[in-house]
Amino acid sequence: MMTKIKKPFFVFNPKSYLYGEELLKLAQKADEMAAKYPEITVMVTVPFADISNIANQTENLIVTAQHIDGITPGRGIGHVLPESVYYAGARAVFLNHAERPLTLTELTKSMQRAQELGIETIVCADSLAEARAIANLKPTAILCEPTELIGTGQTSDESYITATNQVIKEVDENILVMQAAGISTPEDVYRTMKLGADGTGCTSGITNADSPIQMLEEMIVALNQAYQERG
């Protein structure tokens, strides 16, 4: 099982579009691609109820939780206990996504709990100012994704990608930068990586494709090609 995010990386984030057997098939394809391209970190974000199944039937992915709460074992019915997702097999987590936003206090607590357990953190930021603020919290990676572009098929423009890359690296050059707004084709993946991102990812571009498995494969191939060409 992979446990550390290294660049370049690709995240397949099926949100709540997939579950069970259909999700497993795509996760196993992602696992196959991760084995084929060991220099790429491949991640799949997984609904909580599917984490254990996916983790038990893959070897080369970083299985990623969609959220955790900043709580410790004890009271907290209906919350997401970090120890629970770790036990199930998740080794990374998304935090502060536009569909699951957190206050600064909540984000800080969730990140602290993740770091205590050795869970990698990918924290979402929808503006330059938010990216700068989050960088000071020292996540593993920051997903720079303007909320208004999510799911639109419209990618971030070159100036936004360049500016957010620069702002984050100025705070801490070790923080990985993920750019994924509107990614819907292998060409989008290629362009985004050529502009300097450490990683990218996709949801509906894969889940809504005629062949999700083929689209997933083509996107990872495109990421590898762009990163290799960057040298």
Side-chain angles (χ1 to χ4, degrees), residues 48 67-71 75-82 84 100:
F48 304 120
H67 170 76
I68 57 172
D69 290 305
I71 61 172
R75 294 180 62 178
I77 190 167
H79 293 272
V80 183
L81 177 67
S84 180
R100 189 65 172 82

Side-chain angles (χ1 to χ4, degrees), residues 31-229:
D31 194 51
E32 176 189 315
M33 297 300 291
K36 184 175 181 179
Y37 298 101
E39 64 277 14
I40 296 174
T41 302
V42 180
M43 306 168 66
V44 178
T45 65
V46 178
F48 304 120
D50 287 286
I51 288 174
S52 181
N53 185 43
I54 299 299
N56 287 336
Q57 299 197 63
T58 58
E59 296 180 359
N60 307 291
L61 301 176
I62 297 183
V63 177
T64 305
Q66 297 182 348
H67 170 76
I68 57 172
D69 290 305
I71 61 172
T72 54
R75 294 180 62 178
I77 190 167
H79 293 272
V80 183
L81 177 67
E83 279 85 353
S84 180
V85 300
Y86 186 90
Y87 178 80
R91 293 296 179 266
V93 63
F94 265 83
L95 293 169
N96 198 44
H97 192 277
E99 297 174 18
R100 189 65 172 82
L102 298 172
T103 66
L104 182 59
T105 299
E106 291 169 336
L107 176 59
T108 302
K109 287 180 180 177
S110 292
M111 288 183 65
Q112 181 180 351
R113 294 290 1 264
Q115 289 159 356
E116 287 171 2
L117 292 167
I119 297 174
E120 302 276 83
T121 51
I122 305 107
V123 182
C124 303
D126 78 346
S127 68
L128 210 57
E130 193 172 30
R132 182 183 289 110
I134 288 170
N136 284 292
L137 298 176
K138 308 294 186 185
T140 309
I142 296 177
L143 168 53
C144 303
E145 189 171 57
T147 302
E148 66 271 15
L149 297 183
I150 294 172
T152 65
Q154 179 184 345
T155 58
S156 299
D157 62 35
E158 183 172 343
S159 62
Y160 176 86
I161 291 175
T162 303
T164 47
N165 287 351
Q166 181 178 343
V167 159
I168 292 165
K169 298 295 185 180
E170 283 175 356
V171 174
D172 186 341
E173 64 181 12
N174 295 314
I175 295 173
L176 300 172
V177 182
M178 179 179 174
Q179 303 278 357
I183 298 292
S184 57
T185 67
E187 291 74 24
D188 292 337
V189 170
Y190 179 87
R191 169 183 169 273
T192 299
M193 294 303 297
K194 288 285 276 190
L195 288 173
D198 295 316
T200 190
C202 185
T203 298
S204 57
I206 294 173
T207 60
N208 294 341
D210 291 339
S211 172
I213 283 180
Q214 183 179 344
M215 181 62 76
L216 175 63
E217 179 175 0
E218 289 178 359
M219 284 186 172
I220 292 173
V221 169
L223 181 141
N224 181 65
Q225 181 182 349
Y227 195 78
Q228 294 300 325
E229 290 176 5

